Amino acid sequence: MENFNIDKFPRSIDAGLWKTGHLQGIAVDTAHEYIYYAFTTVLVKARLNGETVGWVGGLAGHLGCIDFNDEDGRVYASLELKHDAIGQGIMQNTGSKIADEDAFYIAIFDVGKITRPNMDAETDGIMKTVYLSEVARMYSAVMPDGTKHEFACSGIDGTGIGPVFGAPKNSPSMLMVACGIYGDICRDDNDCNIIMQYDWRKFGEKAKPLCQLAPHHSEAKPDKVYFIFTGNTEWGIQNLEYDAFTGDWIAAVYRGKKEKYPNYPMFIIDGAAAPYEDYIAYGRKGLHLSLKKEGVFDEATGIYGCLFRKGQTGIYAFGNGLYYISNEYRTESKEDGSIIKLYRHADDPSDGFTEIV
């Protein structure tokens, strides 16, 4: 980031308290000095001093990881409308209903229109969505042995905007979308995380307003689907963030439970390494990504990882070696909040990041 003035960006920001679910992701518009929060069913717009400008609600689905696109000034987010335990909990919390089908979208927010509290995602002309047909297919798939969900796909969560894997840092940006992955320890097709690549410039007229009681199918199909061997995780990559400072991708996860894996809470995907073809589950082949060869190395599995335990609920890379990372909490009255703190790289790559105080 050129001409970066650290004094304009606080060491910590209070995201406030919300009863809409815990924080799922953060994004920063550095040019206009706004920060955005996804609190499960609302997108919040705030100034860097913590003052809330407004928010968009009216969602009965799971709003996940978000990213601000500097090229078009919009926030991109994963959005799930589904009926599993997570979806049932959201509908119970909001008192709203969705259509019978399970549907998955990239939500595109025209955040310049967020000017007040209690704006509505369906009716206020702020949000458009693109249907992710490949995610829906994987989620609804039943394998020959009767197992549900191809590759244990639970939907989508992590989103990030950056160059194609293996391409130079200044290459055109693409939207990378990480699949959610059920952490079932009794199956072996869920030991890779999955990232789908989309060219956000091609969304155009495919992006439609969303009616959650009658979901549209104006679809985008991925240009590429990548697999990254991390071992077991709970719910897959929660937050995915491109770091222009290193040229790598940060992937924060909830730790898996299979004892044969190191179950790290964070992985660094090598952005300079070209994808390569190798076997995946079901005896098929797919494109694989490489973990950065730094941090903690597990000899038994060949997996590299990081011990840093934050980032699953939000991480933002400024591109100059500084980062905003969510420190989430819940009050006794079941309100969710987070203090967004400023970090730098830790001296030991195994530790990931250290707070700037």
Side-chain angles (χ1 to χ4, degrees):
M1 181 186 303
E2 296 181 0
N3 302 319
F4 178 81
N5 181 3
I6 191 174
D7 294 329
K8 293 168 62 177
F9 296 87
R11 293 330 195 247
S12 67
I13 305 172
D14 188 342
L17 294 175
W18 300 84
K19 292 186 177 181
T20 58
H22 75 79
L23 186 62
Q24 304 287 342
I26 63 175
V28 180
D29 175 358
T30 57
H32 300 96
E33 300 178 26
Y34 289 114
I35 187 167
Y36 298 91
Y37 312 114
F39 274 97
T40 306
T41 56
V42 300
L43 180 75
V44 183
K45 178 180 182 179
R47 295 185 173 89
L48 295 178
N49 63 4
E51 177 188 356
T52 299
V53 175
W55 66 83
V56 181
L59 292 172
H62 180 286
L63 192 66
C65 178
I66 61 177
D67 204 357
F68 182 81
N69 188 344
D70 291 296
E71 293 186 50
D72 70 0
R74 288 170 166 79
V75 164
Y76 288 69
S78 59
L79 178 61
E80 301 178 320
L81 305 177
K82 60 181 183 177
H83 297 79
D84 66 357
I86 291 178
Q88 293 289 345
I90 290 172
M91 284 187 282
Q92 182 177 359
N93 189 44
T94 60
S96 302
K97 292 184 178 181
I98 58 175
D100 290 337
E101 71 170 287
D102 299 300
F104 305 90
Y105 295 92
I106 285 298
I108 307 163
F109 292 90
D110 188 349
V111 290
K113 295 180 179 179
I114 302 176
T115 58
R116 57 178 173 81
N118 288 316
M119 302 188 79
D120 190 274
E122 288 191 355
T123 61
D124 279 328
I126 295 170
M127 185 186 81
K128 291 185 177 181
T129 54
V130 179
Y131 180 70
L132 303 187
S133 55
E134 179 64 7
V135 178
R137 184 197 66 77
M138 291 171 60
Y139 181 81
S140 62
V142 179
M143 309 317 294
D145 64 358
T147 303
K148 295 181 179 180
H149 314 298
E150 187 177 64
F151 303 112
C153 174
S154 69
I156 49 174
D157 211 328
T159 59
I161 296 172
V164 173
F165 298 103
K169 287 185 180 181
N170 59 352
S171 299
S173 65
M174 298 292 172
L175 175 66
M176 304 297 180
V177 181
C179 287
I181 305 289
Y182 288 117
D184 186 352
I185 63 172
C186 296
R187 59 193 296 174
D188 57 10
D189 61 344
N190 60 350
D191 294 338
C192 284
N193 270 284
I194 302 170
I195 297 175
M196 298 186 180
Q197 175 184 308
Y198 297 87
D199 187 344
W200 56 270
R201 300 165 192 80
K202 295 180 180 179
F203 286 170
E205 294 182 355
K206 295 177 180 178
K208 305 288 186 184
L210 179 64
C211 173
Q212 294 167 105
L213 289 173
H216 70 75
H217 298 118
S218 182
E219 67 176 354
K221 294 185 177 181
D223 299 322
K224 298 284 180 63
V225 178
Y226 305 103
F227 295 80
I228 177 74
F229 179 56
T230 57
N232 185 231
T233 58
E234 283 287 324
W235 303 109
I237 295 174
Q238 296 296 295
N239 260 244
L240 181 66
E241 178 75 359
Y242 175 68
D243 183 1
F245 182 70
T246 63
D248 300 320
W249 293 77
I250 303 165
V253 306
Y254 293 128
R255 299 177 66 179
K257 296 178 180 178
K258 293 184 181 179
E259 294 182 356
K260 66 180 178 179
Y261 293 122
N263 298 316
Y264 301 125
M266 181 174 283
F267 301 93
I268 307 300
I269 303 172
D270 191 339
Y276 62 95
E277 191 175 57
D278 205 345
Y279 283 100
I280 53 177
Y282 316 120
R284 304 190 325 229
K285 284 190 174 183
L287 289 176
H288 286 252
L289 303 176
S290 301
L291 293 172
K292 190 83 169 182
K293 293 182 178 179
E294 65 178 28
V296 186
F297 178 62
D298 181 64
E299 291 188 6
T301 60
I303 296 174
Y304 286 86
C306 174
L307 301 177
F308 190 73
R309 291 179 177 269
K310 294 293 182 181
Q312 296 89 352
T313 61
I315 183 166
Y316 173 79
F318 282 96
N320 64 349
L322 297 177
Y323 308 82
Y324 269 153
I325 300 177
S326 165
N327 289 254
E328 69 284 352
Y329 64 93
R330 171 168 281 194
T331 68
E332 292 183 358
S333 58
K334 296 185 178 180
E335 292 177 305
D336 288 286
S338 180
I339 304 298
I340 313 302
K341 296 182 178 181
L342 191 66
Y343 289 77
R344 63 169 176 81
H345 278 291
D347 295 332
D348 183 348
S350 298
D351 296 328
F353 304 93
T354 186
E355 183 183 350
I356 297 175
V357 295

